[in-house]
Amino acid sequence: MEFLRPATWQEAVAAKAEHPSAVPIAGGTDVMVEINFDHRRPEHLLDLGRIPELSEFDTDSGSGTVRLGASVPYSRIMEHLRTQAPGLALASHTVASPQIRNRGGVGGNLGTASPAGDAHPALLAGGAEVEAVSVRGTRLIPIDDFYVGVKRNALAPDELIRAVRLKTATGPQQFSKVGTRNAMVIAVCAFGIALHPEVRQVRTGIGSAAPTPIRARAAEEFLAAALEEAGLWESRAALPPAVARQFATLVSGAANPIDDVRGTASYRRHALGVMARRTLDWTWREYRGAERTESCA
Amino acid sequence: MSTAEQNRAAEGGRTPTGVARGLTQGATGTRGGIGESTLRPDGVLKVTGEFAYSSDLWHEDMLWGHTLRSTVAHARIVSIDTAEALATPGVYAVLTYDDLPTEVRHYGLEIRDTPVLAHGKVRHHGEPVALVAADHPETARRAAAKIRVVYEELPVVTDEASATAPGAVLVHEDRDDHHSGHVPHPNIVHRQPIVRGDADAAARRADVVVRGEYVFGMQDQAFLGPESGLAVPAEDGGVDLYVATQWLHSDLRQIAPVLGLPEKKVRMTLSGVGGAFGGREDLSMQIHGCLLALRTGKPVKIVYNRFESFFGHVHRHPAKLTYEHGATREGKLTHVRCRIVLDGGAYASSSPAVVGNAASLGVGPYVVDDVDIEALALYTNNPPCGAMRGFGAVQACFAYEAQMDKVAAELGMDPVEFRQRNAMEQGAVMPTGQVVDSPAPVAELLRRVKAMPLPPERQWETTEGADVRALPGGLSNTTHGEGVVRGIGYAVGIKNVGFSEGFDDYSTARVRIEAINGEAVATVHTAMAEVGQGGVTVHAQIARSELGVTQVTINPADTQVGSAGSTSASRQTYMTGGAVKNTCEAVREKVLAIGRRKFGTYHPAWATAELLLEDGHVVTDGGEKLAPIAEVLEDEAVDLELEFRHRPTQPFDLRTGQGNGHVQYSFAAHRAVVEVDTELGLVKVVELACAQDVGKALNPLSVAGQIQGGSTQGLGVAVMEEIVVDPVTAKVRNPSFTDYLIPTILDTPSMPLDILELADEHAPYGLRGIGEAPTLSSTPAVLAAIRQATGLELNRTPVRPEHLTGS
Ligand SMILES: Cc1cc2nc3c(=O)[nH]c(=O)nc-3n(C[C@H](O)[C@H](O)[C@H](O)COP(=O)(O)OP(=O)(O)OC[C@H]3O[C@@H](n4cnc5c(N)ncnc54)[C@H](O)[C@@H]3O)c2cc1C
């Protein structure tokens, strides 16, 4: 195994072009597990650790965007992006342990593209774009097109993730994950929701309940229509319970889960419904300004 | 001693293989004797990451061993082709069953039924088939992958029905062990009935009868230091083995005959042990490492990774338990009938003794005159099960405590009061006929645990909103209070201490006292495995109390001294602590004899008074100092090695189960307070209070640590810990810490303790073995609390979210 250590982003992109099968390593919290267990024996490891811009983020209030370097660790997202990317900050909080959160980041989560990755529901709900770079140039992959199969993503073999772009949150966002212990656990299933009042949209993301992370589109459309019809975006009135119930049912129905050692398919469907109802309630209350519902963890 | 000094002492004393040569402990400010919370000598090293565990062992020029394990649960081995593995550069040896050097090719704790390497057949997923030694661990691992084993799969038996069905495949075909004659089926390792009184007649007096079926999942010890050791071939043809284990001499007895060596040529030294909990009672890499070292003539190290560790040791027996309890309207138990079926897996390990415990403790700490109990362990193709903290008593406690709640509910009685009405006390008779002849404060423990203040309601609420860390789901942010219901549950349990059923249980201690630079110092040498329980701390305390010295050196545990017995069965403070005390007393008599000889004529008290050793002096019981110990000794040393035994026990009668089978009993009670998210089925244990009688707390801090650790292990199997075995293939589905979950600190609640010290006059210092009792009642207390919160029956542990949501 050869260890490539590019000093600059240009060198990294060139190295990836030269060795398309090289495995990038950022925090290493997925890569090293695979290597230790002999699940993976890459010929080249491409260390991204020396490229400072990957660990930086910019928030541009003018354009209303957040550009999050691929290697920014979860602990910094939790700390610095709670206002701009609240859903992703909450999701970051649920990842693993402090040690892992100090190393692992969103670029790695996207690289692995596990249906259980915690960033994905938040990225789907937030409507993120993945900035993929190769010697051929840069393209922005909408997050909806990024997950193409079980642990497969839309990156070409010569591409690296430079950053993730998110619109600065214009409305409340929530993230919720079920695991069988109270910390340091892989999701049995997870749910993210973001209200986008400026475009009168609701976006969602479901984790660990289908071969890839997915959106619950029917639920989103139903909710947006219901809010529109009743004029709730303007009135900020309470959400009719029947709407919340139907939203939950549609989220449940969007999932396509399996039975495995972590949980049963029917539990996953059930839990998604509960999480959908609760997180909608929290976001809508926050939207109404009725009360503070943010967790203070 | 300061941190720096401690580190230096340990570092300077480290052998090339990383084994500390001796831990010298001083005591500043206090006497450092028994009853004080002196700090453990290994504590700072462990929390700073400097302690040398067995996985850190290193030797110049050493090879790495790797074990090839079966990929299927039950199969005939058609062929094993090692040629390609052997031809791999860097590989020094590849061994299979055919390479074993002697005719002794099996080992086992009670029954020698476990092949050193699979012979003709594999009986469970992960069974060792071949060994490789190479100059790099990766080379060894890759070479092992090149060994071609052709399996012809056989049907598997996985539970009682399949194991005892007509025509069931036999896991062991030609049994001739000492249990084979009395078991009803060859796939039953051992069966123990216990019959006392007349349960049928008593049942007719019952006003209420409650039945239940319970299932206990397979728990893993999940010690953090994986199996590891280093075998170094010696010039005399023998081998030096450094290993993390629980009982050096038991290992030795099993290893030496397989190697064809006399025991004295297999010199074992305990290496740093990263937890045990029963999982190191059976051999893992010991024989394998020695075989490779002797074959290659080079030191060989073997370290399992976490995945392999799940196959490298036995687990806690999963169990199916059927109970019937009867009671009168007044709340008196009339009778108990129960049947406990333990799954022993493919090899016997300690299944017979686990059966004895489950049966004899199957009713719990209650007075019941009419009982009909049956416990048995199966041979199946599931992973082998054996010792784990609580050893048969854990499974039974889960079921009988659920039953006690059910009966109380049926009677409309408070569950604590119902337990108290039936609680045993000193003088009670066990189902085995044994009289409990030391304090048994069962009702009192329940009273104390109930009297503790409850944590406040809605404890997650803060001025800033909900603190999700205090809610079910924790940081996963699943609830801000929605769906959350509190429940409170109680349980109490009974555990035996020490080895039972007529076993000759003893421990050996060698103690030396001498004067160095004008100060009397002591050295204690035993073969006790320090697995984290704090034995080394307690031994120094005992030596200080008995010999009046300050500085005590605890020598590394090895086989150059007599057996200390196992670090299990809550027995080491009682047994090796007792042995140290016993030897110290004999050493003291010798010191006093020397003193009388030298100084007897100077002071009449030498002849007339009761003399003690205190603060470095010979003193009279009136406190008068007669002479410094160092002056008594001058350059003479007193050095003795003695054995210590507890009261003998008897085997249980094979038909009636009668017999004084146990040495001592240990009791703990828990109150669990849980918050359950009833919609998502997630549980937060908010508080787990425990009251336990410890006889005498030799080191109160260690006692608290044991109780809290044991309680947490019980909590783990209540809400998350389970090895999942596929019922069709008998393969393990979650051999990793990704999916075998153990409690994190966020899952570990506050654990207020109430520690009682009622002396057992038969035991050294009146102490009671304490390590296991808290593991028993914690699980049923948590389950009872979840039942109260949800109204569900919950006959199975661990509870999973889908059991609580019905989905
Ligand atoms: C103990 C433990 C607990 C964990 N718990 C969780 C959890 O709760 N939730 C969760 O979601 N995950 C969890 N993980 C998985 C892991 O921490 C996350 O997936 C993390 O986001 C990976 O980030 P990393 O920087 O460490 O990635 P790495 O391991 O460095 O890389 C992961 C993958 O992404 C690729 N990659 C990395 N950077 C780039 C890039 N810039 N461009 C292209 N490809 C790239 C790599 O080649 C690799 O395939 C856990 C891991 C461990 C070890």
Side-chain angles (χ1 to χ4, degrees):
Chain A
M1 185 158 40
E2 213 182 312
F3 196 51
L4 309 173
R5 301 205 69 198
T8 65
W9 176 242
Q10 285 72 24
E11 276 177 42
V13 172
K16 188 69 171 142
E18 194 180 335
H19 308 284
S21 68
V23 172
I25 177 164
T29 60
D30 276 324
V31 172
M32 289 314 298
V33 173
E34 297 204 326
I35 290 177
N36 285 337
F37 276 108
D38 222 3
H39 292 159
R40 199 164 183 174
R41 282 282 144 193
E43 260 177 51
H44 298 94
L45 266 186
L46 180 59
D47 178 22
L48 303 177
R50 291 167 68 191
I51 301 161
E53 56 264 46
L54 290 182
S55 301
E56 288 164 7
F57 60 86
D58 312 308
T59 52
D60 183 338
S61 46
S63 67
T65 55
V66 180
R67 184 165 179 251
L68 178 70
S71 302
V72 176
Y74 293 114
S75 52
R76 293 188 55 217
I77 299 175
M78 283 152 51
E79 207 178 316
H80 300 292
L81 294 176
R82 290 173 64 142
T83 332
Q84 295 89 343
L88 187 61
L90 280 170
S92 301
H93 226 134
T94 75
V95 174
S97 59
Q99 295 90 327
I100 300 287
R101 293 197 290 267
N102 282 336
R103 285 203 64 84
V106 173
N109 217 233
L110 287 167
T112 302
S114 156
D118 287 325
H120 311 316
L123 296 177
L124 284 165
E129 288 174 319
V130 179
E131 196 179 314
V133 178
S134 70
V135 287
R136 297 174 287 120
T138 296
R139 61 176 180 137
L140 292 180
I141 309 174
I143 195 73
D144 294 354
D145 302 334
F146 189 77
Y147 310 107
V148 298
V150 184
K151 295 198 171 188
R152 285 193 302 119
N153 61 35
L155 291 179
D158 64 345
E159 277 178 328
L160 289 173
I161 301 171
R162 167 64 185 82
V164 169
R165 295 190 190 182
L166 278 159
K167 283 192 291 286
T168 306
T170 53
Q173 303 184 350
Q174 276 292 342
F175 176 85
S176 191
K177 148 179 163 184
V178 168
T180 35
R181 74 179 160 197
N182 291 308
M184 182 78 184
V185 68
I186 295 193
V188 170
C189 54
F191 184 71
I193 181 171
L195 306 188
H196 300 273
E198 80 291 2
V199 289
R200 300 194 169 189
Q201 265 186 21
V202 178
R203 285 180 64 108
T204 61
I206 292 176
S208 276
T212 66
I214 53 169
R215 283 170 65 191
R217 287 177 194 269
E220 293 174 6
E221 281 157 23
F222 160 78
L223 184 59
L227 295 173
E228 197 67 63
E229 211 168 287
L232 293 176
W233 287 113
E234 293 83 16
S235 71
R236 297 182 189 240
L239 207 60
V243 170
R245 270 202 305 276
Q246 179 63 9
F247 176 71
T249 306
L250 290 169
V251 168
S252 259
N256 183 17
I258 54 165
D259 287 334
D260 63 18
V261 278
R262 292 178 196 146
T264 61
S266 63
Y267 173 77
R268 288 185 161 104
R269 270 208 198 84
H270 164 81
L272 280 169
V274 176
M275 288 191 288
R277 183 158 43 72
R278 288 182 183 173
T279 53
L280 173 60
D281 182 46
W282 302 337
T283 47
W284 192 253
R285 276 169 195 254
E286 194 184 332
Y287 180 66
R288 298 179 67 203
E291 68 189 59
R292 204 191 144 88
T293 56
E294 233 174 275
S295 80
C296 61
Chain B
M1 207 196 303
S2 74
T3 313
E5 278 168 331
Q6 233 170 34
N7 273 327
R8 238 177 292 128
E11 237 149 59
R14 208 166 274 171
T15 64
T17 52
V19 176
R21 214 172 254 137
L23 289 165
T24 300
Q25 306 170 53
T28 37
T30 59
R31 288 228 166 103
I34 62 161
E36 290 177 36
S37 288
T38 57
L39 296 181
R40 37 192 321 150
D42 50 345
V44 170
L45 295 172
K46 280 179 174 167
V47 296
T48 54
E50 285 173 78
F51 183 82
Y53 288 98
S54 55
S55 49
D56 300 320
L57 289 163
W58 186 84
H59 200 290
E60 213 157 307
D61 219 17
M62 72 182 184
L63 302 178
W64 295 79
H66 187 84
T67 315
L68 179 74
R69 294 174 182 273
S70 68
T71 52
V72 294
H74 199 200
R76 203 170 69 75
I77 297 176
V78 179
S79 62
I80 305 178
D81 180 355
T82 60
E84 200 186 331
L86 258 174
T88 308
V91 169
Y92 282 70
V94 179
L95 304 182
T96 67
Y97 179 88
D98 292 331
D99 300 301
L100 296 177
T102 73
E103 289 312 307
V104 182
R105 296 176 171 199
H106 291 74
Y107 67 91
L109 285 173
E110 295 184 41
I111 300 174
R112 287 188 187 248
D113 63 352
T114 314
V116 173
L117 291 167
H119 178 218
K121 209 183 195 191
V122 293
R123 295 183 176 84
H124 68 91
H125 180 203
E127 180 161 353
V129 174
L131 303 170
V132 179
D135 55 12
H136 190 277
E138 272 316 297
T139 310
R141 178 152 76 171
R142 289 180 183 198
K146 292 182 193 162
I147 299 173
R148 272 192 272 277
V149 186
V150 178
Y151 296 109
E152 183 183 293
E153 286 204 52
L154 297 167
V156 293
V157 293
T158 57
D159 56 10
E160 187 180 20
S162 58
T164 59
V169 293
L170 300 185
V171 180
H172 296 271
E173 269 147 9
D174 306 304
R175 282 182 62 185
D176 59 357
D177 58 85
H178 56 285
H179 293 297
S180 56
H182 70 80
V183 290
H185 190 285
N187 280 341
I188 294 174
V189 187
H190 173 49
R191 172 177 171 273
Q192 179 66 64
I194 297 183
V195 189
R196 189 168 180 79
D198 184 342
D200 289 340
R204 288 191 285 275
R205 292 197 307 273
D207 296 313
V208 300
V209 172
V210 163
R211 296 187 182 85
E213 279 188 33
Y214 303 89
V215 175
F216 200 101
M218 186 187 289
Q219 188 179 18
D220 189 63
Q221 296 82 353
F223 43 69
L224 294 186
E227 293 83 347
S228 40
L230 173 71
V232 185
E235 275 176 10
D236 64 354
V239 62
D240 294 306
L241 177 62
Y242 300 84
V243 67
T245 183
Q246 277 179 251
W247 184 0
L248 289 164
H249 287 79
S250 158
D251 288 6
L252 180 60
R253 217 169 35 243
Q254 298 171 78
I255 298 167
V258 176
L259 303 179
L261 290 171
E263 288 186 3
K264 65 176 190 309
K265 282 198 171 182
V266 181
R267 288 160 296 260
M268 296 182 64
T269 305
L270 187 74
S271 186
V273 183
F277 312 108
R280 292 188 212 270
E281 258 194 357
D282 297 74
L283 296 181
S284 58
M285 57 62 63
Q286 285 90 328
I287 299 178
H288 297 164
C290 292
L291 286 169
L292 290 172
L294 292 170
R295 170 63 79 102
T296 60
K298 283 172 170 284
V300 174
K301 172 173 174 173
I302 298 183
V303 186
Y304 296 172
N305 65 17
R306 178 57 54 190
F307 174 86
E308 185 172 17
S309 178
F310 274 97
F311 299 97
H313 60 262
V314 299
H315 314 291
R316 188 194 296 293
H317 289 73
K320 289 208 167 69
L321 311 98
T322 317
Y323 270 79
E324 177 186 292
H325 279 65
T328 63
R329 280 266 154 258
E330 295 70 44
K332 274 286 184 191
L333 285 169
T334 52
H335 72 288
V336 174
R337 282 194 263 246
C338 70
R339 189 159 185 279
I340 301 172
V341 179
L342 301 148
D343 182 353
Y347 295 105
S349 179
S350 46
S351 281
V354 171
V355 166
N357 266 15
S360 58
L361 305 171
V363 167
Y366 303 109
V367 177
V368 196
D369 294 330
D370 299 283
V371 297
D372 188 346
I373 301 170
E374 178 189 16
L376 57 86
L378 301 168
Y379 271 130
T380 66
N381 296 112
N382 289 326
C385 289
M388 183 174 171
R389 196 178 201 172
F391 204 82
V394 160
Q395 296 90 330
C397 186
F398 165 68
Y400 63 67
E401 284 300 86
Q403 285 285 103
M404 292 302 280
D405 282 339
K406 266 191 171 182
V407 181
E410 193 70 28
L411 290 169
M413 201 173 277
D414 175 77
V416 171
E417 192 190 331
F418 173 60
R419 285 175 171 84
Q420 287 172 323
R421 284 193 190 185
N422 294 284
M424 67 165 52
E425 40 190 53
Q426 185 162 358
V429 180
M430 294 290 290
T432 56
Q434 183 166 25
V435 175
V436 179
D437 63 359
S438 68
V442 177
E444 174 64 9
L445 292 172
L446 285 162
R447 188 190 69 73
R448 283 171 179 252
V449 85
K450 191 174 180 182
M452 289 194 213
L454 282 165
E457 296 280 341
R458 299 181 72 82
Q459 37 74 36
W460 62 83
E461 281 177 347
T462 73
T463 48
E464 320 246 317
D467 181 348
V468 292
R469 290 170 304 185
L471 280 160
L475 288 175
S476 296
N477 190 38
T478 42
T479 177
H480 296 172
E482 298 95 328
V484 176
V485 180
R486 173 172 284 196
I488 299 172
Y490 292 88
V492 59
I494 175 170
K495 177 68 185 56
N496 59 321
V497 172
F499 279 30
S500 300
E501 299 188 54
F503 188 86
D504 179 25
D505 194 10
Y506 71 95
S507 181
T508 317
R510 179 172 174 186
V511 176
R512 178 184 175 89
I513 189 169
E514 65 201 309
I516 295 180
N517 300 331
E519 185 192 345
V521 299
T523 304
V524 176
H525 188 188
T526 76
M528 177 207 65
E530 170 62 52
V531 304
Q533 83 277 20
V536 292
T537 325
V538 161
H539 291 177
Q541 291 178 268
I542 293 172
R544 287 194 201 102
S545 284
E546 298 300 333
L547 298 176
V549 298
T550 303
Q551 191 173 312
V552 181
T553 298
I554 306 292
N555 276 355
D558 58 30
T559 51
Q560 307 304 306
V561 60
S563 173
S566 179
T567 301
S568 63
S570 305
R571 69 181 278 292
Q572 277 302 22
T573 303
Y574 189 131
M575 293 305 297
T576 304
V580 172
K581 174 174 190 276
N582 184 48
T583 309
C584 282
E585 285 164 353
V587 165
R588 184 172 62 213
E589 286 316 311
K590 293 246 177 201
V591 172
L592 294 177
I594 297 170
R596 287 192 188 98
R597 197 180 71 218
K598 288 187 183 166
F599 301 114
T601 53
Y602 299 124
H603 196 304
W606 280 102
T608 54
E610 177 109 14
L611 298 182
L612 306 165
L613 302 182
E614 259 177 37
D615 292 333
H617 286 77
V618 178
V619 296
T620 67
D621 52 355
E624 189 184 352
K625 287 185 177 171
L626 296 185
I629 302 169
E631 279 180 25
V632 172
L633 290 170
E634 293 173 298
D635 53 8
E636 225 172 318
V638 178
D639 194 326
L640 291 176
E641 178 177 329
L642 296 174
E643 284 176 4
F644 170 79
R645 284 177 163 72
H646 60 60
R647 291 188 286 167
T649 59
Q650 304 166 338
F652 298 129
D653 181 274
L654 279 177
R655 214 170 30 80
T656 64
Q658 299 301 294
N660 291 335
H662 296 309
V663 186
Q664 186 189 52
Y665 297 101
S666 173
F667 306 92
H670 278 92
R671 180 188 68 197
V673 180
V674 305
E675 246 120 36
V676 182
D677 181 336
T678 51
E679 284 184 294
L680 285 176
L682 300 177
V683 177
K684 167 93 182 169
V685 181
V686 175
E687 189 195 88
L688 192 51
C690 182
Q692 183 169 345
D693 173 25
V694 306
K696 162 82 186 165
L698 261 52
N699 186 313
L701 187 63
S702 294
V703 164
Q706 283 294 314
I707 297 175
Q708 295 183 329
S711 301
T712 307
Q713 214 152 17
L715 180 158
V717 79
V719 295
M720 61 183 86
E721 293 189 37
E722 182 173 14
I723 293 184
V724 182
V725 180
D726 188 305
V728 177
T729 62
K731 288 172 72 164
V732 178
R733 293 179 66 196
N734 57 341
S736 79
F737 278 165
T738 307
D739 287 310
Y740 183 88
L741 300 181
I742 55 178
T744 69
I745 195 66
L746 265 186
D747 302 282
T748 308
S750 90
M751 291 187 269
L753 305 180
D754 191 343
I755 293 168
L756 217 61
E757 296 185 76
L758 304 180
D760 173 357
E761 60 176 277
H762 311 287
Y765 302 115
L767 73 83
R768 222 172 261 288
I770 56 142
E772 292 170 288
T775 315
L776 271 58
S777 41
S778 129
T779 312
V782 171
L783 261 288
I786 301 174
R787 286 187 197 105
Q788 203 206 39
T790 60
L792 297 168
E793 246 194 278
L794 305 178
N795 287 342
R796 178 185 204 289
T797 205
V799 172
R800 301 176 56 95
E802 58 263 29
H803 302 152
L804 300 181
T805 61
S807 55

